[in-house]
């Protein structure tokens, strides 16, 4: 296979070992003579996968038995409505820190009053403030830990008695946080976990005890929990792959080690963007993302030249989000340092050539 440098935003790069083991299991799962794609989700084999995946997620995030883990479908997008459907009585507080956060707000408005405590939209989402107070009467506070499209990241979470709900789709497993401070965490699988089509939802049980609501079964967290995560047929493949990724994370030394790598990789790239006279990053320095690094050419007319240069080096996925433009280097856990060096070298060569 040709060696590629995969900066895709999602679906995106996964550890090589995870891909290899998944491929083996698709051909012959545990030497059973069956493909992983052919086993029943009610079989003992799958039950073991589900239990282990759940156990490892909690182990990595240091969560106790007050939490349950669900592997649902519908992406993080379904959580935008599932969260308010289950948890909103009258009003909730939201931060509008990026394009996904805005989408979450749009859905929440269908279920009650949304109090937007901060919006960075008028400044192109180039910063996130810490200067807001979560009103105590809110049913929950919703935030997006990493803004995948614009390339910003929350470094500080509020100290509040209001339950915190967080969309961690693009930085789950990338850094150490005090996960016990969150009441509900969700993340779609295709960024740092596994293949697309699955969403990890981590729920602190007590948050579900507050309201009794009659809601459609698939949308009801309680029904999923009562059915031990197999209320309907889950994404067997993605749950299996997620188990492998969790094993890989532990082999790497856990979130502490990964966080160090991720900080180092992004630091190198930001340093080059800041140094190089042809590029700029528009995000406030304190809010820059370690996962998705966005940058723009100062001279748009050189775009074709730069695109040709990075494509020639087998770099893929560097295009910015369709409505945001520019470039985005997504540097998830599995992206090797080598790929970052290749990109930086292209940027240096580009500068030499056009200065
Ligand atoms: C990718 C992403 C989503 C959407 O995930 P889907 O699986 O497409 O629904 C939501 N929020 C954030 C922060 C994301 O990065």
């Amino acid at each position: 296979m040709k060696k590629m440098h995969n900066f895709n935003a999602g679906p995106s790069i996964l550890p090589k070992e995870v891909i290899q083991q998944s491929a083996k299991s698709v051909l012959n799962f545990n030497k059973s003579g069956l493909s992983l794609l052919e086993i029943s989700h009610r079989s003992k084999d799958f039950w073991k996968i589900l239990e282990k995946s759940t156990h490892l997620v909690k182990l990595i995030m240091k969560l106790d038995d007050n939490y349950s883990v669900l592997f649902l479908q519908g992406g993080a997008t379904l959580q935008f409505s599932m969260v308010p459907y289950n948890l909103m009585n009258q009003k909730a507080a939201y931060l509008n820190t990026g394009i996904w956060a805005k989408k979450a707000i749009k859905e929440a408005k269908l279920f009650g009053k949304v109090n937007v405590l901060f919006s960075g939209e008028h400044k192109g989402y180039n910063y996130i403030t810490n200067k807001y107070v979560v009103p105590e009467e809110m049913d929950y506070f919703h935030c997006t830990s990493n803004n995948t499209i614009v390339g910003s990241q929350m470094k500080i979470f509020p100290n509040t008695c209001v339950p915190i709900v967080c969309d961690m789709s693009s930085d789950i497993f990338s850094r150490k946080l005090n996960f016990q401070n969150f009441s509900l965490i969700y993340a779609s699988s295709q960024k740092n976990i596994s293949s697309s089509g699955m969403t990890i939802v981590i729920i602190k049980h007590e948050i579900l005890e507050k309201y009794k609501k009659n809601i459609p079964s698939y949308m009801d967290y309680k029904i999923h929990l009562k059915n031990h995560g197999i209320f309907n047929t889950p994404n067997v493949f993605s749950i299996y792959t997620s188990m492998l990724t969790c094993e890989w994370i532990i082999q790497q030394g856990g979130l502490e080690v990964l966080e160090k790598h991720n900080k180092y990789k992004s630091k190198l790239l930001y340093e080059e963007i800041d140094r190089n006279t042809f590029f700029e990053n528009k995000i406030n320095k304190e809010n820059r993302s370690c996962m998705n690094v966005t940058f723009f050419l100062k001279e748009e007319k050189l775009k074709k030249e730069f695109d040709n240069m990075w494509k020639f080096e087998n770099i893929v996925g560097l295009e910015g989000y369709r409505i945001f433009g520019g470039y985005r280097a997504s540097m998830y856990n599995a992206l090797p340092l080598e790929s970052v060096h290749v990109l930086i070298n292209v940027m240096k060569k580009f500068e030499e050539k056009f200065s």
Side-chain angles (χ1 to χ4, degrees), residues 59-127:
L59 186 72
I60 289 169
M61 298 173 92
K62 296 194 165 60
L63 293 171
D64 60 23
D65 289 339
N66 294 315
Y67 288 84
S68 284
V69 180
L70 293 171
F71 300 91
L72 304 181
Q73 290 156 75
T77 301
L78 184 64
Q79 295 309 308
F80 295 164
S81 34
M82 232 166 131
V83 163
Y85 218 160
N86 284 267
L87 307 180
M88 202 195 282
N89 189 29
Q90 284 185 328
K91 48 191 170 195
Y94 276 70
L95 294 187
N96 182 10
T97 53
I99 288 154
W100 290 115
K102 191 181 174 186
K103 290 186 190 207
I105 291 168
K106 177 173 179 255
E107 300 302 316
K109 282 181 175 166
L110 298 171
F111 298 91
K113 201 174 168 307
V114 174
N115 189 342
V116 179
L117 301 181
F118 161 76
S119 174
E121 192 174 2
H122 64 291
K123 288 206 166 170
Y125 293 118
N126 69 357
Y127 78 112

Side-chain angles (χ1 to χ4, degrees), residues 285-316:
K285 279 195 177 158
E286 287 100 78
N287 308 122
R288 286 172 163 185
S289 169
C290 294
M291 289 279 100
N292 310 94
V293 177
T294 52
F295 56 98
F296 291 82
L297 263 174
K298 287 183 190 162
E299 290 178 67
E300 198 52 32
K301 64 176 195 291
L302 292 174
K303 178 168 161 44
K304 242 202 171 111
E305 315 286 344
F306 181 58
D307 289 353
N308 287 338
M309 281 178 78
W310 58 261
K311 283 175 187 168
F312 183 77
E313 298 293 335
N314 292 337
I315 287 175
V316 287

Side-chain angles (χ1 to χ4, degrees), residues 74-78 80 100 144 146-148 167 169-170 188 190-191:
T77 301
L78 184 64
F80 295 164
W100 290 115
T144 312
N146 185 70
N147 300 284
T148 327
D167 176 358
S169 288
S170 52
S188 48
Q190 70 273 19
K191 278 141 192 166

